[in-house]
Amino acid sequence: QVQLVESGGGLVQAGGSLRLSCAASGNIFKVNVMGWYRQAPGKQREMVATITGGGIINCVDSVKGRFTISRDNAKNTIYLQMNSLKPEDTAVYYCNAIVQRVGVPVSYEYWGQGTQVTVSS
């Protein structure tokens, strides 16, 4: 199986910073796209930022210039550096990865358990 373990959430004042980490582990042959999604209360889950194994990044307009996604392929780990946080960034942040397991010819999507980010005004 594959596990995604997130860390780094918490409570921060507006204008502050947090760094999220997500490590993929298990019976992994290859990790393809990894990314961060978030879900605020009463809202649908939305993509925040994704990064391919080759470093191609896609992110939502609302976080451009404030959030930076990065990746360590050797560790199957991604990071989300969040600066200039705003109250509207408050949400549960989920790690997502498309993973091919050893001996399995197709890739599957996996999710982490989520980590709470709360930004106070």
Side-chain angles (χ1 to χ4, degrees), residues 11-16 85-90 117-121:
L11 172 64
V12 65
Q13 289 188 330
L85 282 159
K86 304 176 181 179
E88 50 264 43
D89 295 317
T90 296
V117 171
T118 303
V119 185
S120 63
S121 56

Side-chain angles (χ1 to χ4, degrees), residues 11 13 16 20 31 33 44 55 59 61 64 84 91 103 115-117:
L11 172 64
Q13 289 188 330
L20 306 183
V31 182
V33 177
Q44 290 188 332
C59 67
D61 287 346
K64 286 181 179 178
S84 301
T115 185
Q116 177 70 46
V117 171

Side-chain angles (χ1 to χ4, degrees), residues 1 4 6 9 13 24 26 32 38 41 49 58 61 65 70 73 75-77 81 83 85 89 100 102-103 106 112 115:
Q1 262 294 4
L4 301 181
E6 302 132 333
Q13 289 188 330
N32 298 303
R38 66 186 180 186
N58 184 33
D61 287 346
S70 60
N73 288 330
K75 296 180 179 180
N76 290 328
T77 298
Q81 178 65 43
N83 298 328
L85 282 159
D89 295 317
Q100 184 179 357
V102 173
V106 296
T115 185

Side-chain angles (χ1 to χ4, degrees), residues 34-97:
M34 297 186 75
W36 292 97
Y37 290 70
R38 66 186 180 186
Q39 188 167 19
K43 295 188 177 181
Q44 290 188 332
R45 190 174 298 189
E46 67 169 350
M47 185 272 290
V48 177
T50 63
I51 184 168
T52 68
I56 297 173
I57 291 170
N58 184 33
C59 67
V60 67
D61 287 346
S62 61
V63 307
K64 286 181 179 178
R66 301 189 297 122
F67 292 9
T68 302
I69 189 170
S70 60
R71 178 168 175 162
D72 184 336
N73 288 330
K75 296 180 179 180
N76 290 328
T77 298
I78 59 170
Y79 308 92
L80 187 68
Q81 178 65 43
M82 304 185 292
N83 298 328
S84 301
L85 282 159
K86 304 176 181 179
E88 50 264 43
D89 295 317
T90 296
V92 177
Y93 284 69
Y94 296 91
C95 179
N96 174 276

Side-chain angles (χ1 to χ4, degrees), residues 16-36:
S17 298
L18 285 173
R19 188 187 192 220
L20 306 183
S21 300
C22 171
S25 64
N27 196 24
I28 295 172
F29 173 71
K30 182 180 179 181
V31 182
N32 298 303
V33 177
M34 297 186 75
W36 292 97

